[in-house]
Amino acid sequence: MARSLGTTTKSTAVSPQAGIFALGTASHSYVEFAIQSGVEATELVRAIASLREPRTTMGGVNLVAGFRPGLWRAVAPDASPRGVDDFNDDILGPGDYRMPATQHDAVLWISGSAYDVVFDVARQAIAALEPVAQVADETSSWPYHHDRDLTGFIDGTENPSLIDAPEIALIPEGNPGAGGSILLLQKWSHDAVAWESQPIEDQERVIGRTKPESTELEDRPTDSHAARTDQDLFGKIFRRNMPFGTVTDHGTMFVGFSAEQRRLAAMLENMAGKKDGVRDRLTYFARALTGSYYLIPSLQDLRRFASAA
């Protein structure tokens, strides 16, 4: 029998939603939801916690659920980490630069080995949630040349290994929301024509790394993407970025997990040049279209609501 998203095995340890760390999946769907008018937040959480993960013959489907931090805090204050806010305000930089805030109430990230299975599960989830939530945004993603984004560069060079990732991405035990994570979800469109008109050497100075091997440049520019998002300065995060879109309209889904929201927020502010007026050079070729934070509860915290549904 299929198990609910909130079901977990008997254990004293706190269990994260496993899909956070399920590397190697080829197809992805990100569905963001807005709660229906008149529906209580608890109803939405119960409905999502009770979704079923169907077993398949094609490697299974990973289902990760998250909630607007303020909504989750209203429903489960004892399982809410301190100081985690919604993405309420645009992030502004020099001139008229802005990263938009497009916060929604909940998200489902569905991933699997083949898109037909992901497609079916996404449709089933949307139908099951229709009484309590409507789709606010939907994006499908797929890998590009194994581990590269649509700039042609390797994405996630500094990503931690699966051994180290839980310590970086998960709220530590002993804290409210232990076993959960804070997700930053952003859709970035690429100006492919402008980017591809640049010589490789210029592209490398924008990124701060070589294109073939992703080796950090010895003379890395201070406004390069690698410099403006240096995790040694802001703290480590765990990324699950994926390309999205069509041949003529495409970009990157930024999918970043952290035990602390401040690491994610500080990186965005530095990319925008909020404090020092220096923008990440990559933002001249990629434009943020969306921006939301979600609290990804542990399985134990979700299970309470699945049992009550």
Side-chain angles (χ1 to χ4, degrees), residues 228-288:
R228 299 303 291 180
T229 61
D230 192 335
Q231 295 188 37
D232 290 335
L233 296 177
F234 305 110
K236 300 291 185 180
I237 64 173
F238 180 57
R239 290 183 290 171
R240 295 292 310 276
N241 299 357
M242 294 293 291
F244 78 91
T246 66
V247 173
T248 57
D249 183 14
H250 50 256
T252 297
M253 285 298 292
F254 181 88
V255 184
F257 293 92
S258 177
E260 298 177 357
Q261 186 181 41
R262 187 58 201 163
R263 302 174 195 168
L264 298 162
M267 286 186 192
L268 292 187
E269 291 171 358
N270 208 48
M271 287 180 68
K274 180 177 179 179
K275 294 183 178 180
D276 61 5
V278 179
R279 270 175 57 187
D280 186 326
R281 198 181 297 189
L282 184 58
T283 64
Y284 293 93
F285 301 93
R287 181 167 63 95

Tab-separated table of all heavy atoms in Angstrom, residues 228-288:
chain	number	residue	atom	x	y	z
A	228	ARG	N	30.465	36.782	-5.256
A	228	ARG	CA	29.302	37.387	-4.607
A	228	ARG	C	28.467	36.373	-3.844
A	228	ARG	O	27.634	36.752	-3.007
A	228	ARG	CB	28.425	38.108	-5.644
A	228	ARG	CG	29.115	39.248	-6.384
A	228	ARG	CD	29.668	40.326	-5.472
A	228	ARG	NE	28.636	41.118	-4.808
A	228	ARG	CZ	28.881	42.109	-3.978
A	228	ARG	NH1	30.125	42.436	-3.680
A	228	ARG	NH2	27.905	42.781	-3.431
A	229	THR	N	28.662	35.073	-4.117
A	229	THR	CA	27.907	34.024	-3.405
A	229	THR	C	28.851	33.096	-2.645
A	229	THR	O	28.509	31.938	-2.408
A	229	THR	CB	27.053	33.207	-4.386
A	229	THR	OG1	27.915	32.562	-5.349
A	229	THR	CG2	26.054	34.085	-5.116
A	230	ASP	N	29.992	33.597	-2.271
A	230	ASP	CA	31.023	32.785	-1.601
A	230	ASP	C	30.480	32.225	-0.286
A	230	ASP	O	30.198	32.963	0.661
A	230	ASP	CB	32.251	33.653	-1.333
A	230	ASP	CG	33.459	32.842	-0.903
A	230	ASP	OD1	33.275	31.726	-0.366
A	230	ASP	OD2	34.589	33.319	-1.100
A	231	GLN	N	30.343	30.905	-0.233
A	231	GLN	CA	29.760	30.280	0.942
A	231	GLN	C	30.679	30.303	2.149
A	231	GLN	O	30.235	30.079	3.274
A	231	GLN	CB	29.328	28.847	0.608
A	231	GLN	CG	28.206	28.799	-0.407
A	231	GLN	CD	27.649	27.404	-0.604
A	231	GLN	OE1	27.536	26.611	0.324
A	231	GLN	NE2	27.284	27.095	-1.836
A	232	ASP	N	31.957	30.577	1.937
A	232	ASP	CA	32.852	30.753	3.079
A	232	ASP	C	32.521	32.028	3.835
A	232	ASP	O	32.851	32.166	5.017
A	232	ASP	CB	34.309	30.798	2.606
A	232	ASP	CG	34.802	29.443	2.111
A	232	ASP	OD1	34.244	28.420	2.551
A	232	ASP	OD2	35.723	29.406	1.272
A	233	LEU	N	31.853	32.960	3.177
A	233	LEU	CA	31.458	34.210	3.816
A	233	LEU	C	30.072	34.127	4.446
A	233	LEU	O	29.851	34.651	5.542
A	233	LEU	CB	31.476	35.352	2.782
A	233	LEU	CG	32.829	35.709	2.166
A	233	LEU	CD1	32.648	36.791	1.112
A	233	LEU	CD2	33.807	36.172	3.239
A	234	PHE	N	29.128	33.484	3.758
A	234	PHE	CA	27.726	33.528	4.186
A	234	PHE	C	27.249	32.249	4.854
A	234	PHE	O	26.178	32.237	5.453
A	234	PHE	CB	26.835	33.839	2.980
A	234	PHE	CG	27.221	35.094	2.271
A	234	PHE	CD1	27.786	35.059	1.011
A	234	PHE	CD2	27.054	36.322	2.882
A	234	PHE	CE1	28.158	36.219	0.364
A	234	PHE	CE2	27.417	37.488	2.247
A	234	PHE	CZ	27.982	37.442	0.981
A	235	GLY	N	28.019	31.179	4.744
A	235	GLY	CA	27.593	29.894	5.285
A	235	GLY	C	27.188	28.947	4.170
A	235	GLY	O	26.750	29.370	3.107
A	236	LYS	N	27.331	27.676	4.435
A	236	LYS	CA	27.065	26.652	3.432
A	236	LYS	C	25.570	26.428	3.248
A	236	LYS	O	24.776	26.529	4.191
A	236	LYS	CB	27.709	25.326	3.840
A	236	LYS	CG	29.224	25.386	4.005
A	236	LYS	CD	29.912	25.576	2.679
A	236	LYS	CE	31.428	25.504	2.815
A	236	LYS	NZ	32.129	25.688	1.532
A	237	ILE	N	25.190	26.132	2.002
A	237	ILE	CA	23.825	25.726	1.685
A	237	ILE	C	23.895	24.477	0.808
A	237	ILE	O	24.963	24.128	0.290
A	237	ILE	CB	23.024	26.836	0.973
A	237	ILE	CG1	23.638	27.150	-0.401
A	237	ILE	CG2	22.963	28.086	1.846
A	237	ILE	CD1	22.801	28.105	-1.233
A	238	PHE	N	22.764	23.802	0.649
A	238	PHE	CA	22.676	22.613	-0.195
A	238	PHE	C	21.750	22.936	-1.356
A	238	PHE	O	20.578	23.245	-1.155
A	238	PHE	CB	22.132	21.434	0.612
A	238	PHE	CG	22.012	20.158	-0.176
A	238	PHE	CD1	23.110	19.596	-0.811
A	238	PHE	CD2	20.790	19.496	-0.271
A	238	PHE	CE1	23.001	18.412	-1.530
A	238	PHE	CE2	20.673	18.317	-0.980
A	238	PHE	CZ	21.784	17.770	-1.613
A	239	ARG	N	22.284	22.896	-2.574
A	239	ARG	CA	21.525	23.304	-3.755
A	239	ARG	C	21.063	22.096	-4.563
A	239	ARG	O	21.799	21.141	-4.746
A	239	ARG	CB	22.375	24.222	-4.639
A	239	ARG	CG	22.614	25.582	-4.049
A	239	ARG	CD	23.394	26.456	-5.005
A	239	ARG	NE	24.785	26.010	-5.147
A	239	ARG	CZ	25.639	26.482	-6.052
A	239	ARG	NH1	25.241	27.405	-6.916
A	239	ARG	NH2	26.875	26.051	-6.111
A	240	ARG	N	19.839	22.212	-5.099
A	240	ARG	CA	19.287	21.210	-6.012
A	240	ARG	C	18.777	21.916	-7.270
A	240	ARG	O	17.697	21.628	-7.770
A	240	ARG	CB	18.157	20.425	-5.342
A	240	ARG	CG	18.559	19.571	-4.149
A	240	ARG	CD	19.436	18.383	-4.542
A	240	ARG	NE	18.857	17.619	-5.639
A	240	ARG	CZ	17.928	16.656	-5.469
A	240	ARG	NH1	17.497	16.367	-4.269
A	240	ARG	NH2	17.457	15.992	-6.507
A	241	ASN	N	19.558	22.862	-7.788
A	241	ASN	CA	19.141	23.653	-8.944
A	241	ASN	C	18.914	22.780	-10.168
A	241	ASN	O	19.585	21.763	-10.359
A	241	ASN	CB	20.202	24.698	-9.296
A	241	ASN	CG	20.441	25.686	-8.180
A	241	ASN	OD1	19.788	25.651	-7.154
A	241	ASN	ND2	21.397	26.566	-8.383
A	242	MET	N	17.987	23.236	-11.036
A	242	MET	CA	17.705	22.525	-12.282
A	242	MET	C	17.338	23.523	-13.373
A	242	MET	O	16.751	24.574	-13.083
A	242	MET	CB	16.530	21.551	-12.102
A	242	MET	CG	16.807	20.394	-11.162
A	242	MET	SD	18.045	19.237	-11.796
A	242	MET	CE	17.149	18.512	-13.163
A	243	PRO	N	17.672	23.212	-14.632
A	243	PRO	CA	17.204	24.047	-15.738
A	243	PRO	C	15.686	23.898	-15.927
A	243	PRO	O	15.097	22.888	-15.542
A	243	PRO	CB	17.945	23.487	-16.955
A	243	PRO	CG	19.082	22.686	-16.395
A	243	PRO	CD	18.584	22.154	-15.091
A	244	PHE	N	15.073	24.914	-16.528
A	244	PHE	CA	13.655	24.834	-16.861
A	244	PHE	C	13.429	25.551	-18.183
A	244	PHE	O	14.272	26.330	-18.652
A	244	PHE	CB	12.780	25.482	-15.768
A	244	PHE	CG	12.756	26.985	-15.842
A	244	PHE	CD1	11.794	27.651	-16.577
A	244	PHE	CD2	13.719	27.747	-15.189
A	244	PHE	CE1	11.780	29.038	-16.668
A	244	PHE	CE2	13.713	29.135	-15.262
A	244	PHE	CZ	12.740	29.780	-16.005
A	245	GLY	N	12.273	25.338	-18.781
A	245	GLY	CA	11.819	26.142	-19.897
A	245	GLY	C	11.904	25.480	-21.252
A	245	GLY	O	12.077	24.268	-21.374
A	246	THR	N	11.774	26.320	-22.266
A	246	THR	CA	11.764	25.877	-23.652
A	246	THR	C	13.047	26.336	-24.342
A	246	THR	O	13.877	27.029	-23.749
A	246	THR	CB	10.552	26.463	-24.397
A	246	THR	OG1	10.713	27.897	-24.468
A	246	THR	CG2	9.260	26.138	-23.671
A	247	VAL	N	13.170	26.005	-25.613
A	247	VAL	CA	14.354	26.410	-26.366
A	247	VAL	C	14.467	27.931	-26.422
A	247	VAL	O	15.562	28.492	-26.364
A	247	VAL	CB	14.305	25.809	-27.783
A	247	VAL	CG1	15.430	26.362	-28.647
A	247	VAL	CG2	14.375	24.290	-27.721
A	248	THR	N	13.339	28.619	-26.528
A	248	THR	CA	13.363	30.077	-26.686
A	248	THR	C	13.171	30.844	-25.385
A	248	THR	O	13.394	32.056	-25.345
A	248	THR	CB	12.265	30.513	-27.680
A	248	THR	OG1	10.991	30.054	-27.206
A	248	THR	CG2	12.535	29.931	-29.064
A	249	ASP	N	12.768	30.189	-24.308
A	249	ASP	CA	12.500	30.875	-23.045
A	249	ASP	C	12.874	29.925	-21.909
A	249	ASP	O	12.115	29.018	-21.573
A	249	ASP	CB	11.029	31.275	-22.948
A	249	ASP	CG	10.723	32.059	-21.677
A	249	ASP	OD1	11.671	32.518	-21.016
A	249	ASP	OD2	9.525	32.212	-21.353
A	250	HIS	N	14.044	30.129	-21.320
A	250	HIS	CA	14.524	29.149	-20.351
A	250	HIS	C	15.373	29.817	-19.284
A	250	HIS	O	15.663	31.008	-19.340
A	250	HIS	CB	15.332	28.062	-21.062
A	250	HIS	CG	16.395	28.605	-21.973
A	250	HIS	ND1	16.271	28.626	-23.331
A	250	HIS	CD2	17.597	29.173	-21.704
A	250	HIS	CE1	17.349	29.167	-23.875
A	250	HIS	NE2	18.165	29.509	-22.904
A	251	GLY	N	15.777	29.008	-18.312
A	251	GLY	CA	16.581	29.532	-17.215
A	251	GLY	C	16.870	28.479	-16.176
A	251	GLY	O	16.946	27.288	-16.482
A	252	THR	N	17.000	28.925	-14.932
A	252	THR	CA	17.390	28.051	-13.820
A	252	THR	C	16.382	28.167	-12.693
A	252	THR	O	15.994	29.266	-12.313
A	252	THR	CB	18.783	28.447	-13.288
A	252	THR	OG1	19.758	28.267	-14.319
A	252	THR	CG2	19.166	27.606	-12.082
A	253	MET	N	15.973	27.016	-12.171
A	253	MET	CA	15.236	26.983	-10.911
A	253	MET	C	16.259	26.888	-9.793
A	253	MET	O	16.977	25.887	-9.694
A	253	MET	CB	14.285	25.790	-10.852
A	253	MET	CG	13.040	25.933	-11.685
A	253	MET	SD	11.957	27.313	-11.193
A	253	MET	CE	11.370	26.745	-9.594
A	254	PHE	N	16.354	27.935	-8.984
A	254	PHE	CA	17.238	27.881	-7.823
A	254	PHE	C	16.478	27.201	-6.699
A	254	PHE	O	15.410	27.666	-6.274
A	254	PHE	CB	17.682	29.275	-7.397
A	254	PHE	CG	18.608	29.252	-6.206
A	254	PHE	CD1	19.967	29.133	-6.393
A	254	PHE	CD2	18.100	29.308	-4.917
A	254	PHE	CE1	20.826	29.078	-5.294
A	254	PHE	CE2	18.949	29.256	-3.824
A	254	PHE	CZ	20.312	29.143	-4.010
A	255	VAL	N	17.037	26.099	-6.207
A	255	VAL	CA	16.409	25.293	-5.158
A	255	VAL	C	17.461	25.130	-4.060
A	255	VAL	O	18.309	24.237	-4.121
A	255	VAL	CB	15.955	23.930	-5.700
A	255	VAL	CG1	15.202	23.140	-4.629
A	255	VAL	CG2	15.090	24.107	-6.944
A	256	GLY	N	17.431	26.020	-3.067
A	256	GLY	CA	18.471	26.034	-2.053
A	256	GLY	C	17.929	25.733	-0.665
A	256	GLY	O	16.945	26.337	-0.230
A	257	PHE	N	18.591	24.810	0.029
A	257	PHE	CA	18.169	24.397	1.365
A	257	PHE	C	19.218	24.808	2.392
A	257	PHE	O	20.421	24.717	2.150
A	257	PHE	CB	17.991	22.877	1.435
A	257	PHE	CG	16.867	22.352	0.603
A	257	PHE	CD1	17.091	21.930	-0.696
A	257	PHE	CD2	15.574	22.281	1.114
A	257	PHE	CE1	16.054	21.443	-1.475
A	257	PHE	CE2	14.534	21.789	0.345
A	257	PHE	CZ	14.769	21.375	-0.948
A	258	SER	N	18.747	25.235	3.561
A	258	SER	CA	19.666	25.625	4.625
A	258	SER	C	18.998	25.429	5.980
A	258	SER	O	17.772	25.514	6.107
A	258	SER	CB	20.075	27.086	4.466
A	258	SER	OG	20.905	27.505	5.535
A	259	ALA	N	19.830	25.198	6.976
A	259	ALA	CA	19.331	25.135	8.350
A	259	ALA	C	19.028	26.517	8.887
A	259	ALA	O	18.320	26.653	9.886
A	259	ALA	CB	20.362	24.436	9.242
A	260	GLU	N	19.578	27.565	8.237
A	260	GLU	CA	19.383	28.933	8.676
A	260	GLU	C	18.984	29.806	7.498
A	260	GLU	O	19.658	29.823	6.463
A	260	GLU	CB	20.679	29.488	9.288
A	260	GLU	CG	21.147	28.741	10.522
A	260	GLU	CD	22.462	29.286	11.051
A	260	GLU	OE1	23.023	30.199	10.403
A	260	GLU	OE2	22.919	28.801	12.088
A	261	GLN	N	17.909	30.535	7.647
A	261	GLN	CA	17.446	31.397	6.566
A	261	GLN	C	18.433	32.515	6.265
A	261	GLN	O	18.565	32.939	5.106
A	261	GLN	CB	16.091	31.996	6.933
A	261	GLN	CG	15.453	32.799	5.807
A	261	GLN	CD	14.118	33.390	6.211
A	261	GLN	OE1	13.946	33.889	7.320
A	261	GLN	NE2	13.141	33.300	5.319
A	262	ARG	N	19.162	32.974	7.271
A	262	ARG	CA	20.036	34.130	7.073
A	262	ARG	C	21.106	33.863	6.016
A	262	ARG	O	21.516	34.770	5.302
A	262	ARG	CB	20.680	34.521	8.408
A	262	ARG	CG	21.491	35.821	8.336
A	262	ARG	CD	20.603	36.965	7.859
A	262	ARG	NE	21.401	38.070	7.310
A	262	ARG	CZ	20.904	39.020	6.545
A	262	ARG	NH1	19.630	39.016	6.210
A	262	ARG	NH2	21.684	39.982	6.092
A	263	ARG	N	21.582	32.635	5.905
A	263	ARG	CA	22.584	32.321	4.885
A	263	ARG	C	22.030	32.605	3.487
A	263	ARG	O	22.708	33.194	2.646
A	263	ARG	CB	22.982	30.844	4.961
A	263	ARG	CG	23.545	30.389	6.287
A	263	ARG	CD	23.743	28.880	6.266
A	263	ARG	NE	23.951	28.332	7.595
A	263	ARG	CZ	23.919	27.035	7.871
A	263	ARG	NH1	23.711	26.158	6.895
A	263	ARG	NH2	24.113	26.608	9.100
A	264	LEU	N	20.797	32.178	3.258
A	264	LEU	CA	20.162	32.363	1.955
A	264	LEU	C	19.900	33.840	1.686
A	264	LEU	O	20.185	34.353	0.604
A	264	LEU	CB	18.858	31.573	1.906
A	264	LEU	CG	18.994	30.062	2.070
A	264	LEU	CD1	17.650	29.442	2.458
A	264	LEU	CD2	19.526	29.417	0.798
A	265	ALA	N	19.363	34.534	2.678
A	265	ALA	CA	19.029	35.942	2.501
A	265	ALA	C	20.279	36.787	2.271
A	265	ALA	O	20.282	37.701	1.440
A	265	ALA	CB	18.271	36.445	3.732
A	266	ALA	N	21.361	36.471	2.986
A	266	ALA	CA	22.591	37.243	2.841
A	266	ALA	C	23.177	37.088	1.446
A	266	ALA	O	23.704	38.054	0.862
A	266	ALA	CB	23.610	36.806	3.894
A	267	MET	N	23.088	35.879	0.883
A	267	MET	CA	23.590	35.662	-0.476
A	267	MET	C	22.805	36.477	-1.490
A	267	MET	O	23.384	37.105	-2.385
A	267	MET	CB	23.529	34.175	-0.830
A	267	MET	CG	24.582	33.345	-0.164
A	267	MET	SD	24.523	31.645	-0.774
A	267	MET	CE	25.600	30.853	0.414
A	268	LEU	N	21.480	36.481	-1.364
A	268	LEU	CA	20.663	37.257	-2.292
A	268	LEU	C	20.976	38.745	-2.185
A	268	LEU	O	21.091	39.448	-3.204
A	268	LEU	CB	19.180	37.015	-2.011
A	268	LEU	CG	18.631	35.623	-2.314
A	268	LEU	CD1	17.110	35.620	-2.142
A	268	LEU	CD2	19.000	35.154	-3.708
A	269	GLU	N	21.102	39.235	-0.966
A	269	GLU	CA	21.399	40.649	-0.782
A	269	GLU	C	22.748	41.012	-1.390
A	269	GLU	O	22.908	42.091	-1.974
A	269	GLU	CB	21.367	40.989	0.708
A	269	GLU	CG	19.970	40.928	1.312
A	269	GLU	CD	19.970	41.041	2.823
A	269	GLU	OE1	21.078	41.134	3.409
A	269	GLU	OE2	18.877	41.036	3.425
A	270	ASN	N	23.723	40.119	-1.268
A	270	ASN	CA	25.041	40.398	-1.828
A	270	ASN	C	25.029	40.326	-3.349
A	270	ASN	O	25.713	41.095	-4.027
A	270	ASN	CB	26.074	39.436	-1.259
A	270	ASN	CG	27.468	40.033	-1.222
A	270	ASN	OD1	27.648	41.163	-0.751
A	270	ASN	ND2	28.457	39.308	-1.726
A	271	MET	N	24.240	39.400	-3.901
A	271	MET	CA	24.104	39.348	-5.352
A	271	MET	C	23.505	40.656	-5.878
A	271	MET	O	23.917	41.163	-6.924
A	271	MET	CB	23.216	38.173	-5.765
A	271	MET	CG	23.839	36.810	-5.619
A	271	MET	SD	22.713	35.492	-6.147
A	271	MET	CE	22.639	35.795	-7.926
A	272	ALA	N	22.530	41.178	-5.157
A	272	ALA	CA	21.853	42.403	-5.577
A	272	ALA	C	22.684	43.654	-5.307
A	272	ALA	O	22.357	44.733	-5.806
A	272	ALA	CB	20.509	42.530	-4.869
A	273	GLY	N	23.750	43.521	-4.513
A	273	GLY	CA	24.535	44.698	-4.153
A	273	GLY	C	23.816	45.613	-3.198
A	273	GLY	O	24.023	46.828	-3.206
A	274	LYS	N	23.011	45.034	-2.339
A	274	LYS	CA	22.169	45.847	-1.455
A	274	LYS	C	22.992	46.723	-0.525
A	274	LYS	O	22.622	47.884	-0.275
A	274	LYS	CB	21.256	44.932	-0.634
A	274	LYS	CG	20.336	45.657	0.327
A	274	LYS	CD	19.413	44.703	1.056
A	274	LYS	CE	18.509	45.450	2.038
A	274	LYS	NZ	17.581	44.530	2.738
A	275	LYS	N	24.103	46.208	-0.009
A	275	LYS	CA	24.868	46.953	0.986
A	275	LYS	C	26.011	47.762	0.392
A	275	LYS	O	26.278	48.880	0.833
A	275	LYS	CB	25.404	45.993	2.051
A	275	LYS	CG	24.313	45.351	2.891
A	275	LYS	CD	24.902	44.460	3.970
A	275	LYS	CE	23.803	43.851	4.847
A	275	LYS	NZ	24.366	42.980	5.900
A	276	ASP	N	26.704	47.203	-0.607
A	276	ASP	CA	27.896	47.884	-1.118
A	276	ASP	C	27.735	48.421	-2.528
A	276	ASP	O	28.660	49.012	-3.090
A	276	ASP	CB	29.105	46.949	-1.061
A	276	ASP	CG	28.934	45.694	-1.915
A	276	ASP	OD1	27.909	45.585	-2.623
A	276	ASP	OD2	29.820	44.825	-1.868
A	277	GLY	N	26.542	48.221	-3.139
A	277	GLY	CA	26.293	48.766	-4.463
A	277	GLY	C	26.958	48.009	-5.596
A	277	GLY	O	26.940	48.469	-6.739
A	278	VAL	N	27.519	46.819	-5.310
A	278	VAL	CA	28.187	46.010	-6.341
A	278	VAL	C	27.318	44.805	-6.674
A	278	VAL	O	27.143	43.917	-5.841
A	278	VAL	CB	29.580	45.543	-5.868
A	278	VAL	CG1	30.245	44.692	-6.948
A	278	VAL	CG2	30.455	46.727	-5.518
A	279	ARG	N	26.778	44.783	-7.870
A	279	ARG	CA	25.914	43.680	-8.278
A	279	ARG	C	26.729	42.493	-8.774
A	279	ARG	O	27.789	42.655	-9.389
A	279	ARG	CB	24.966	44.132	-9.394
A	279	ARG	CG	23.652	44.687	-8.898
A	279	ARG	CD	22.827	45.207	-10.038
A	279	ARG	NE	22.542	44.224	-11.065
A	279	ARG	CZ	21.942	44.512	-12.214
A	279	ARG	NH1	21.590	45.755	-12.473
A	279	ARG	NH2	21.694	43.574	-13.101
A	280	ASP	N	26.224	41.309	-8.516
A	280	ASP	CA	26.741	40.083	-9.114
A	280	ASP	C	26.681	40.240	-10.635
A	280	ASP	O	25.626	40.534	-11.198
A	280	ASP	CB	25.867	38.919	-8.659
A	280	ASP	CG	26.377	37.561	-9.093
A	280	ASP	OD1	26.964	37.453	-10.192
A	280	ASP	OD2	26.153	36.589	-8.353
A	281	ARG	N	27.798	40.022	-11.297
A	281	ARG	CA	27.848	40.242	-12.744
A	281	ARG	C	26.886	39.305	-13.483
A	281	ARG	O	26.405	39.635	-14.577
A	281	ARG	CB	29.269	40.045	-13.264
A	281	ARG	CG	29.488	40.667	-14.641
A	281	ARG	CD	30.898	40.445	-15.159
A	281	ARG	NE	31.920	41.081	-14.331
A	281	ARG	CZ	33.209	41.161	-14.694
A	281	ARG	NH1	33.609	40.632	-15.840
A	281	ARG	NH2	34.085	41.742	-13.897
A	282	LEU	N	26.582	38.161	-12.892
A	282	LEU	CA	25.666	37.229	-13.546
A	282	LEU	C	24.258	37.807	-13.653
A	282	LEU	O	23.490	37.429	-14.543
A	282	LEU	CB	25.632	35.902	-12.782
A	282	LEU	CG	24.799	34.773	-13.387
A	282	LEU	CD1	25.268	34.416	-14.801
A	282	LEU	CD2	24.832	33.537	-12.488
A	283	THR	N	23.894	38.734	-12.751
A	283	THR	CA	22.540	39.297	-12.786
A	283	THR	C	22.307	40.192	-13.999
A	283	THR	O	21.174	40.612	-14.238
A	283	THR	CB	22.237	40.096	-11.507
A	283	THR	OG1	23.120	41.224	-11.415
A	283	THR	CG2	22.390	39.225	-10.268
A	284	TYR	N	23.349	40.473	-14.775
A	284	TYR	CA	23.174	41.206	-16.028
A	284	TYR	C	22.782	40.262	-17.163
A	284	TYR	O	22.398	40.721	-18.245
A	284	TYR	CB	24.447	41.966	-16.386
A	284	TYR	CG	24.748	43.093	-15.424
A	284	TYR	CD1	25.585	42.888	-14.328
A	284	TYR	CD2	24.174	44.350	-15.597
A	284	TYR	CE1	25.857	43.919	-13.438
A	284	TYR	CE2	24.437	45.390	-14.709
A	284	TYR	CZ	25.278	45.158	-13.635
A	284	TYR	OH	25.534	46.175	-12.743
A	285	PHE	N	22.852	38.960	-16.908
A	285	PHE	CA	22.488	37.959	-17.914
A	285	PHE	C	21.362	37.040	-17.441
A	285	PHE	O	20.818	36.277	-18.238
A	285	PHE	CB	23.714	37.097	-18.267
A	285	PHE	CG	24.868	37.884	-18.808
A	285	PHE	CD1	25.860	38.347	-17.960
A	285	PHE	CD2	24.943	38.179	-20.162
A	285	PHE	CE1	26.931	39.094	-18.459
A	285	PHE	CE2	26.017	38.920	-20.671
A	285	PHE	CZ	27.008	39.377	-19.819
A	286	ALA	N	21.028	37.089	-16.174
A	286	ALA	CA	19.950	36.266	-15.606
A	286	ALA	C	19.077	37.156	-14.737
A	286	ALA	O	19.585	37.978	-13.962
A	286	ALA	CB	20.528	35.110	-14.786
A	287	ARG	N	17.779	36.985	-14.856
A	287	ARG	CA	16.825	37.846	-14.152
A	287	ARG	C	15.918	37.013	-13.257
A	287	ARG	O	15.316	36.022	-13.704
A	287	ARG	CB	15.982	38.629	-15.158
A	287	ARG	CG	14.967	39.584	-14.535
A	287	ARG	CD	14.406	40.532	-15.583
A	287	ARG	NE	13.672	39.835	-16.611
A	287	ARG	CZ	12.344	39.661	-16.600
A	287	ARG	NH1	11.622	40.137	-15.596
A	287	ARG	NH2	11.747	39.031	-17.587
A	288	ALA	N	15.838	37.386	-11.995
A	288	ALA	CA	14.949	36.692	-11.065
A	288	ALA	C	13.499	37.029	-11.387
A	288	ALA	O	13.128	38.196	-11.474
A	288	ALA	CB	15.274	37.091	-9.630
